[in-house]
Amino acid sequence: MQRILKFSLVLTAMYIAATLFFGLRAHSLALVSEAGHNLSDFAALGLSFVAVWLQTRPATDQRTFGYQRAGVLAGFVNALSLMVLAVWIGVAAVARFFHPVSVEPHLMMMVAAAGVVMNGVIAALLWKFSGDVNIRSVFLHMLGDTISTAAVIVGGLVIAFTGWQWIDPVLSLIISGMIVLSAWGIVRETLHILLEGTPRTVNLGEIRAAMAKVPGVVNVHDLHVWSLTSQSHALACHVQVVEMQLADCEAVLSRLNHELRDHYGIHHTTIQLEVTDCETVDGCCSPPVAEVIDGHSHHHHGPGGHDHAHAH
């Protein structure tokens, strides 16, 4: 993934330099704008590259989950920048209806053809890793550019044969609308992850029922499932069990983790076993209330007490 992102960065930088050079030589604002447009792609690729590098760094006492969320954050920023860019393109397109600009179709088509090849190659390379929300945001950047530059070629042909200058802003509006729709999906997904939302592919009721079927389990509560990345989930919960020996508790934990790992793909779990049910507030267990007796603090757990076990 890092090699592909490096190659994409170099290719994009070369294309930016070429469009800026030919744009200045031809006095073409459209080509200079294309250079600025691809500069945003370069920034998106760079941000994703940094995020991928950060994700490889080990966890520390300060960041116990490491930097796994770096990719999600990069995807969020990239998607937001895509939406801003799409709005800018839309505003510029509307302005051209009132103040038409004469474009040079032949030069426009030549540079756009080079852009289609470059963006298409990068998008094809990134497709393999598009399951990652960070890479998917960059993939959409490049795919959007491939479509937009292909549309520029078609628009250039129409303008060359008919002289209809309004084709250019119409194409721009269509492309900006497509970009907004694609980017909005990534913004929603990354925000859901950053806000610790339950993964959309996870059914909490189904997981709770599957865990409750494990022999010895009485009740499952305080259940939370969240995403570390778009493809990695974690779970924490309290499980009420019948009175049993510690060795039997280990067997219950093993069966619970087997169910979660093999049937739901959840590998990081924290499961607390208890004999008596704990009080919950808004779906979460309340901490035990401390009672002061003879100047000492004691935690009251109820008549049955608690046996706790954790699984990671």
Side-chain angles (χ1 to χ4, degrees):
M1 193 186 296
Q2 285 182 320
R3 284 199 303 271
I4 288 174
L5 287 172
K6 282 180 183 177
F7 174 73
S8 303
L9 280 166
V10 171
L11 206 58
T12 304
M14 291 170 62
Y15 183 68
I16 291 170
T19 51
L20 186 60
F21 174 75
F22 287 112
L24 292 174
R25 279 198 63 178
H27 306 288
S28 170
L29 181 60
L31 288 181
V32 173
S33 298
E34 179 71 5
H37 180 199
N38 279 274
L39 191 61
S40 73
D41 291 339
F42 185 82
L45 285 164
L47 184 61
S48 291
F49 178 78
V50 171
V52 169
W53 173 75
L54 280 174
Q55 284 178 218
T56 63
R57 298 186 65 186
T60 65
D61 287 345
Q62 287 71 40
R63 292 178 177 82
T64 53
F65 280 115
Y67 293 82
Q68 294 186 59
R69 285 280 175 83
V72 177
L73 190 58
F76 176 70
V77 173
N78 278 338
L80 279 184
S81 68
L82 264 176
M83 296 185 74
V84 171
L85 181 64
V87 170
W88 177 80
I89 292 171
V91 171
V94 171
R96 284 206 171 188
F97 284 115
F98 299 99
H99 306 285
V101 176
S102 180
V103 297
E104 170 50 56
H106 300 293
L107 185 58
M108 187 172 89
M109 286 188 290
M110 287 171 57
V111 177
V116 166
V117 173
M118 182 205 71
N119 291 318
V121 168
I122 294 174
L125 291 172
L126 293 173
W127 169 252
K128 180 181 177 182
F129 302 100
S130 59
D132 183 284
V133 71
N134 169 30
I135 301 301
R136 197 186 322 151
S137 67
V138 186
F139 168 75
L140 281 177
H141 256 287
M142 307 315 297
L143 182 63
D145 279 357
T146 304
I147 296 171
S148 65
T149 46
V152 167
I153 295 175
V154 175
L157 279 171
V158 174
I159 293 170
F161 284 104
T162 65
W164 295 344
Q165 301 291 335
W166 54 266
I167 292 292
D168 184 60
V170 167
L171 286 173
S172 299
L173 284 174
I174 294 171
I175 293 165
S176 62
M178 291 170 58
I179 292 172
V180 167
L181 285 175
S182 299
W184 176 242
I186 291 181
V187 168
R188 286 181 59 192
E189 182 179 351
T190 51
L191 261 183
H192 192 72
I193 294 173
L194 292 171
L195 293 175
E196 305 284 2
T198 302
R200 302 188 190 282
T201 56
V202 168
N203 185 319
L204 278 191
E206 187 180 321
I207 290 178
R208 187 181 287 108
M211 295 177 71
K213 289 180 181 177
V214 173
V217 173
V218 176
N219 180 31
V220 178
H221 54 277
D222 199 9
L223 176 61
H224 305 276
V225 181
W226 67 98
S227 298
L228 301 174
T229 69
S230 57
Q231 297 174 302
S232 174
H233 308 318
L235 175 146
C237 70
H238 285 217
V239 175
Q240 184 183 356
V241 296
V242 297
E243 289 275 2
M244 62 177 69
Q245 298 294 323
L246 184 60
D248 296 325
C249 287
E250 290 293 334
V252 170
L253 279 174
S254 179
R255 290 177 183 175
L256 287 169
N257 280 309
H258 168 77
E259 186 74 25
L260 295 168
R261 181 181 63 250
D262 295 351
H263 295 159
Y264 300 98
I266 301 175
H267 296 268
H268 186 97
T269 63
T270 304
I271 301 173
Q272 179 167 306
L273 299 183
E274 55 195 16
V275 176
T276 57
D277 197 358
C278 64
E279 293 184 11
T280 59
V281 178
D282 296 329
C284 295
C285 279
S286 304
V289 179
E291 294 181 353
V292 178
I293 303 174
D294 298 331
H296 298 285
S297 178
H298 298 269
H299 291 289
H300 178 65
H301 296 281
H306 278 301
D307 286 328
H308 296 293
H310 295 272
H312 298 277

